[in-house]
Amino acid sequence: MLTPTLTRIGTVMRADPDDPREAEGVLNPAAARGRDGELYLFPRLVAAGNYSRIGRARVEREDGRPTGVCRLGMALEPTQPWERNSVTAGVEDPRITRIEALDIWVMAYTAYGPLGAKVALAVSSDLAEWHRLGPVQFGYEPTLDSDFTLYPNKDAAFFPEPVRAPDGTPAFALLHRPFYQLGPGLPTILPAGITDERESIWVSYIPVSDAADDLRALTRPAQHRLLAAPLYDWEAVKIGGGPAPIRTDEGWLFIYHGIRDLGGQLEYAAGAMLLDHEDVCDIRWRSAEPLLRPETGDELSGTVGHVVFPTAIDGCEVYYGMADDKIGVARLDLA
């Protein structure tokens, strides 16, 4: 059975002290390889008041190792009604998937609007210009007696290739993490048959034929299924998705994050699952211990300490948020 490991390479991006748009940190990037062969990062940039933008940067290397970035401006600003509220605004924590069947890159991001955190989508043909498709309308799931659009939601990412939906049709699959509590002071509503209130990872599906006819179909997934709930001690508080899964010979490798409580201090660490190529809800293997947990100064101290938060992958490199204000990279090895 495949055994992944993560080994630190270093810190690749820190906030520019002269740029107020980065006053509270740079973190949790997406990554994508452009048609020019270059690797681009799309970090969350946080200004005062937790006002978040999604930037664009090119990864710079020395002797083949990622060592820094060249900033290239903004990919998305929080300009739409679903990205703004009465206190602040935010487009946050993107994940980007190259979907060859549609010849596009799809960015799933968290829109921090008047109803809290919601998943929204944007698409690009060149990684420079991004066009919003809008918020994801998860909709009512009869088998679960729940309207998933009501839930706050984040940590979304697409699989890069079609898989088999529960009804047997070819579909694009979207990972996401709904919050069962509808908001501060609001009730907790569990889907029918779900007894664990802890935030967990779900998969929803869009028929390939629908998306081929109209890209906005990607914002209307259905057939929601629970992928995984917290299981081990290192993820006892909750779990959430990381980068888009990558195909291996043995299945889809999915890097995710788990949270545990260390006596009042929450620790965010990275683990992995191996999912069946066709039925992605079939977990073939799962890491009982984290592959990477906060240990260095950059991971232990920052805006929110004790955080390793993986959000991007390119080949054997995994990019992750460090203590909610820096970006690190680790080497992924598969044994």
Side-chain angles (χ1 to χ4, degrees):
M1 182 63 71
L2 178 147
T3 304
T5 60
L6 288 173
T7 305
R8 290 173 179 83
I9 296 174
T11 302
V12 295
M13 190 173 184
R14 300 177 185 271
D16 180 350
D18 297 322
D19 188 342
R21 297 175 299 183
E22 301 181 10
E24 294 186 3
V26 298
L27 61 152
N28 304 355
R33 185 74 58 168
R35 298 186 194 277
D36 58 3
E38 298 283 356
L39 179 62
Y40 295 91
L41 287 189
F42 296 81
R44 175 181 170 187
L45 312 178
V46 187
N50 199 34
Y51 187 105
S52 295
R53 301 169 171 88
I54 296 173
R56 179 171 176 262
R58 184 177 61 250
V59 174
E60 297 181 324
R61 298 177 182 273
E62 293 181 11
D63 299 324
R65 295 163 58 91
T67 56
V69 301
C70 174
R71 288 165 169 81
L72 300 171
M74 297 297 128
L76 284 183
E77 299 258 8
T79 58
Q80 301 304 305
W82 62 84
E83 299 165 350
R84 308 176 65 87
N85 58 54
S86 60
V87 177
T88 186
V91 287
E92 306 176 352
D93 299 354
R95 277 79 159 177
I96 292 175
T97 305
R98 172 66 184 175
I99 300 182
E100 290 292 344
L102 299 174
D103 192 26
I104 56 167
W105 287 271
V106 181
M107 177 194 293
Y109 65 96
T110 301
Y112 192 54
L115 298 179
K118 297 286 187 177
V119 174
L121 303 181
V123 295
S124 178
S125 60
D126 59 7
L127 294 179
E129 298 293 329
W130 291 89
H131 306 281
R132 289 171 171 83
L133 299 182
V136 175
Q137 305 296 318
F138 286 95
Y140 181 72
E141 175 58 56
T143 62
L144 298 165
D145 192 25
S146 291
D147 185 347
F148 274 64
T149 299
L150 295 176
Y151 293 132
N153 209 320
K154 56 170 48 179
D155 295 339
F158 279 94
F159 283 76
E161 301 172 17
V163 299
R164 188 177 68 243
D167 66 2
T169 60
F172 297 113
L174 176 64
L175 296 151
H176 56 103
R177 176 169 63 91
F179 298 39
Y180 303 134
Q181 184 176 14
L182 301 185
L186 296 177
T188 295
I189 301 177
L190 295 178
I194 302 298
T195 59
D196 191 336
E197 295 188 3
R198 295 175 295 177
E199 292 165 27
S200 303
I201 303 171
W202 288 70
V203 186
S204 301
Y205 300 85
I206 305 98
V208 169
S209 57
D210 290 358
D213 291 339
D214 179 6
L215 285 178
R216 293 190 182 278
L218 295 174
T219 67
R220 300 186 294 272
Q223 301 186 65
H224 316 307
R225 297 294 185 271
L226 177 66
L227 172 64
L231 179 62
Y232 299 113
D233 287 345
W234 71 271
E235 54 185 33
V237 173
K238 59 184 175 182
I239 60 173
I246 60 171
R247 175 181 278 275
T248 73
D249 290 342
E250 297 186 41
W252 292 106
L253 180 65
F254 176 43
I255 307 292
Y256 70 105
H257 68 269
I259 304 166
R260 65 174 171 174
D261 188 342
L262 300 176
Q265 171 66 62
L266 294 180
E267 178 188 81
Y268 287 66
M273 302 177 192
L274 188 67
L275 312 176
D276 185 77
H277 280 140
E278 288 297 318
D279 179 5
V280 297
C281 287
D282 178 5
I283 301 174
R284 304 182 64 187
W285 173 87
R286 182 170 174 177
S287 51
E289 297 293 335
L291 304 183
L292 197 69
R293 56 173 298 189
E295 293 178 337
T296 71
D298 280 345
E299 297 162 354
L300 294 170
S301 179
T303 300
V304 179
H306 296 259
V307 172
V308 162
F309 196 83
T311 50
I313 190 166
D314 176 68
C316 63
E317 295 171 358
V318 174
Y319 292 82
Y320 63 97
M322 310 169 85
D324 268 15
D325 67 4
K326 300 166 289 290
I327 295 171
V329 59
R331 187 182 73 248
L332 172 67
D333 291 299
L334 304 177

